[in-house]
């Protein structure tokens, strides 16, 4: 089957015609049945890709399209339909990759004709007509649009015939036949084939945009103003179809410029450009029509599919968190394997549960899932379930109605509504009270929720990623956590290993944290000395990467610049290091007080050498502490985390003179 199933096609047409947005329902259907029924899930993912493209979300559209392709390959037929390649080319064009899009459309058109797949050929022809017109190849463009029109009429698809007619109007407008372009659009609204019953709301708005541009090119500002006002009356459609809205704002800027209102025109032009950048859409067409915008300040839009290859840059090969762009630093094979599995699973729109100790980087991993799922341009909202009382947490997540409680003087949007189609990261999910667990479960099942004090349901397409450092399975057994919610959240579950299980990451994390600390606080350059690194490697890191970052931050501030030394480490860490070898000279174990890694004993000479090295390290640490304390024994003992009497005993053992302020005897 090479056509979208009729039920799904009807839901897509309902969306285009403004009769209902079933996005949330489709996402939930894909969550429930996508893996069990890959054929049905593939078509659902394809329709979601179309919807998000129409909404101006190219990255999310591309993500669902990749998922559709994967599910088609898993389906019994095992074949990707040609129409999917047309959708891929349309997204490429929206991202500004015109040449790649044209090449893919040409290949799809040719192969579809050879296989007799006329519908896919017609879809490819419509989009090729637009690209060829933009390239100035008008005759070729016209032949493609005419082929598409006849094919759609032959298949009895009036809606497709309207698309072909709009492509022809677009061609004539660029060719300079503005009156003919307006006439074509008017005919589409009056003739039986492709009449009002066939044209959906988006097509009607597209036709109005073509007419408005034609009138502006003919300097008919009155007609152009009337058409743009008609578009402005469709406020809900402009909110929904962002590419249409961007084009409308741009034409409004041209109208203002034709009226001599330069400042207003420039403000509208910048607005259109900023909107396109935020959506990740191509901005070239807007800039070409207004050359002054080519140097307009503002954020540079990221080009999806192209990645910065500089060291440490945020790209798909060097994963990054969404908030600060810092990479998830790891060289551990096990952690890399986990990240690869997460990346493969990220496009599936199901909840994700991340488990692991505090400080292992669960929020950074959640950010990677957000980005790899195609939602990178959408909101990523972290919420800590343990940080707020239950009442405030419910209000923050779901929002509240006016008068819902004392002090609720106005309605407030919840984070689910703010996230839209983005991602909600619920940290410490194990601390969620039972009442809120039930409400969260309802949202995960239906995509619907009630604001606090509200009596009307709201919908959200937000993806939920949850994290916990608790054993939720044990909590389910003890009754502290709902079993149905646990099973719903753990559709995709990943354990992030603690730092002590990947000690090889300590050195690369040190380099990363010291570099970022220097950039943030304007200190440095900084690097960790070898002895300090070995001390850090000998630590168990119960607080994981977060503890390591804070230890290095304190050491960096203390040192200022240069190489971090063992003496820059926290007193507690130094005390544990000293105590670990103080009474074990005969068998120092795998780690020395200074973090030096020892090999197994091979005889008396090895034992003596180890004892001497321990003494030398201990003497060095005491001397540094005394120097920092200006010879004050009490302060030096405090720095090392020792009692004063213990410090005196160790000074004598190391050959340091307490009366001489620590000078060797």
């Amino acid at each position: 089957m090479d056509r979208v199933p009729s039920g799904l096609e009807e839901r897509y047409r309902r969306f285009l015609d403004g009769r209902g947005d079933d996005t949330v329902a489709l996402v939930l259907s894909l969550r429930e049945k996508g893996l069990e029924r890959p054929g049905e899930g593939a078509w659902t993912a394809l329709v979601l890709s179309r919807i998000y493209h129409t909404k101006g979300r190219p990255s999310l559209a591309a993500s669902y399209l990749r998922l559709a392709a994967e599910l088609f390959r898993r389906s019994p037929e095992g074949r990707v339909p040609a129409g999917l390649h047309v959708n891929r080319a349309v997204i490429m064009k929206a991202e500004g990759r015109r040449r790649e899009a044209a090449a893919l459309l040409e290949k799809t058109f040719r192969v579809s004709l050879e296989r007799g797949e006329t519908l896919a050929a017609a879809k490819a022809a419509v989009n090729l007509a637009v690209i060829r017109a933009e390239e100035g190849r008008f005759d070729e463009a016209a032949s493609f649009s005419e082929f598409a029109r006849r094919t759609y009429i032959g298949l009895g698809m009036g809606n497709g015939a309207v698309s072909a007619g709009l492509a022809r109007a677009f061609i004539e407008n660029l060719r300079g036949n503005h009156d003919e372009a307006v006439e074509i659009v008017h005919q589409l609204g009056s003739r039986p084939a492709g009449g009002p019953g066939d044209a959906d709301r988006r097509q009607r708005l597209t036709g109005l945009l073509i007419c408005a541009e034609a009138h502006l090119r003919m300097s008919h500002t009155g007609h152009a103003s009337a058409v743009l006002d008609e578009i402005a009356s469709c406020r809900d459609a402009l909110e929904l179809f962002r590419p249409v809205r961007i084009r409308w704002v741009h034409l409004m800027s041209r109208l203002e410029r034709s009226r001599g209102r330069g400042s207003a025109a420039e403000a509208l032009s910048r607005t259109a450009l900023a909107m396109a950048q935020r959506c990740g859409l191509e901005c070239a067409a807007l800039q070409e029509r207004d050359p002054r915008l080519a140097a307009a300040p503002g954020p540079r839009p990221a080009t999806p599919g192209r990645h910065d290859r500089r060291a440490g840059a945020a790209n798909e090969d060097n994963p990054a968190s969404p908030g600060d762009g810092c990479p998830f630093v790891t060289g551990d094979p096990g952690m890399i394997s986990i990240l690869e599995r997460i990346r493969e699973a990220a496009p599936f729109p199901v909840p994700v549960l991340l488990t692991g100790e505090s400080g292992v980087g669960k929020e950074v991993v959640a950010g990677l899932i957000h980005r790899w799922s195609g939602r990178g341009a959408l909101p990523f909202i972290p919420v800590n379930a343990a940080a707020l009382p239950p009442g405030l947490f419910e209000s923050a997540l779901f929002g509240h109605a006016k008068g819902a409680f004392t002090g609720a003087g106005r309605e407030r949007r919840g984070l689910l509504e703010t996230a839209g189609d983005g991602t909600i990261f619920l940290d410490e999910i194990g601390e969620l009270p039972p009442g809120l667990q039930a409400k969260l479960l309802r949202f995960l099942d239906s995509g619907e929720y009630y604001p606090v004090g509200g009596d009307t349901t709201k919908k959200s397409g937000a993806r939920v990623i949850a994290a916990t450092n608790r054993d939720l399975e044990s909590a389910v057994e003890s009754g502290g956590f709902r079993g149905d919610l646990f099973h719903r959240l753990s559709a995709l579950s990943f354990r992030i290993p603690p730092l002590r299980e990947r000690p090889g990451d300590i050195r690369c994390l040190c380099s990363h944290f010291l570099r970022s600390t220097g950039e943030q606080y304007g200190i440095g350059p900084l690097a960790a000395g070898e002895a300090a690194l070995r001390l850090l490697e000998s630590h168990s890191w119960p607080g994981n990467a977060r503890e390591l970052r804070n230890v290095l931050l304190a050491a960096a501030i203390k040192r200022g610049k240069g190489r971090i030394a063992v003496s820059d480490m926290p007193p507690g860490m130094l005390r544990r290091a000293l105590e670990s070898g103080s009474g074990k000279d005969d068998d120092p174990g795998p780690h020395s007080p200074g973090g030096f890694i020892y090999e197994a004993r091979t005889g008396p000479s090895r034992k003596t050498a180890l004892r001497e090295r321990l003494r030398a390290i201990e003497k060095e640490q005491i001397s540094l502490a005394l120097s920092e304390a200006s010879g004050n024994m009490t302060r030096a003992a405090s720095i090392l985390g020792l009692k004063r009497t213990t410090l005196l005993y160790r000074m004598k053992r190391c050959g340091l003179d307490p009366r001489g302020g620590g000078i060797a005897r």
Side-chain angles (χ1 to χ4, degrees), residues 148-166:
R149 186 187 71 83
R150 291 181 178 179
T151 302
Y152 279 126
I153 291 175
L155 294 171
M157 300 180 66
N159 190 273
V162 171
S163 295
L166 290 173

Side-chain angles (χ1 to χ4, degrees), residues 256 452 601:
E256 292 300 308
V452 177
R601 290 179 291 126

Side-chain angles (χ1 to χ4, degrees), residues 23-24 52 55 57 60 370 375 378-379 416-423 460-463:
T23 306
V24 173
Y52 281 116
K55 288 183 174 184
R57 302 292 192 189
L60 202 52
H370 170 74
R375 292 172 166 82
L378 303 176
L416 282 174
E417 185 175 354
T418 303
D421 294 320
T423 302
S460 172
R463 182 186 197 168

Side-chain angles (χ1 to χ4, degrees), residues 187-269:
Q187 288 177 359
L188 290 174
S190 60
R191 63 187 183 185
D198 292 319
D200 57 51
R201 181 173 55 167
R202 184 190 58 167
Q203 290 174 326
R204 290 192 290 271
L205 289 172
T206 301
L208 290 172
L209 288 171
I210 292 173
C211 289
E213 182 162 8
H215 288 309
L216 285 171
R217 288 174 179 267
M218 294 186 292
S219 300
H220 296 165
T221 54
H223 292 303
S225 178
V227 174
L228 291 172
D229 286 345
E230 185 177 351
I231 297 173
S233 65
C234 305
R235 292 183 179 273
D236 57 337
L238 290 176
E239 287 294 328
L240 193 59
F241 306 139
R242 295 193 181 189
V244 172
R245 183 182 180 188
I246 292 167
R247 188 79 188 112
W248 171 72
V249 173
H250 176 68
L251 292 177
M252 287 294 297
S253 74
R254 291 177 59 186
L255 177 64
E256 292 300 308
R257 183 165 287 110
S258 69
R259 290 171 170 172
R261 300 170 183 171
S263 58
E266 187 170 346
L268 286 167
S269 294

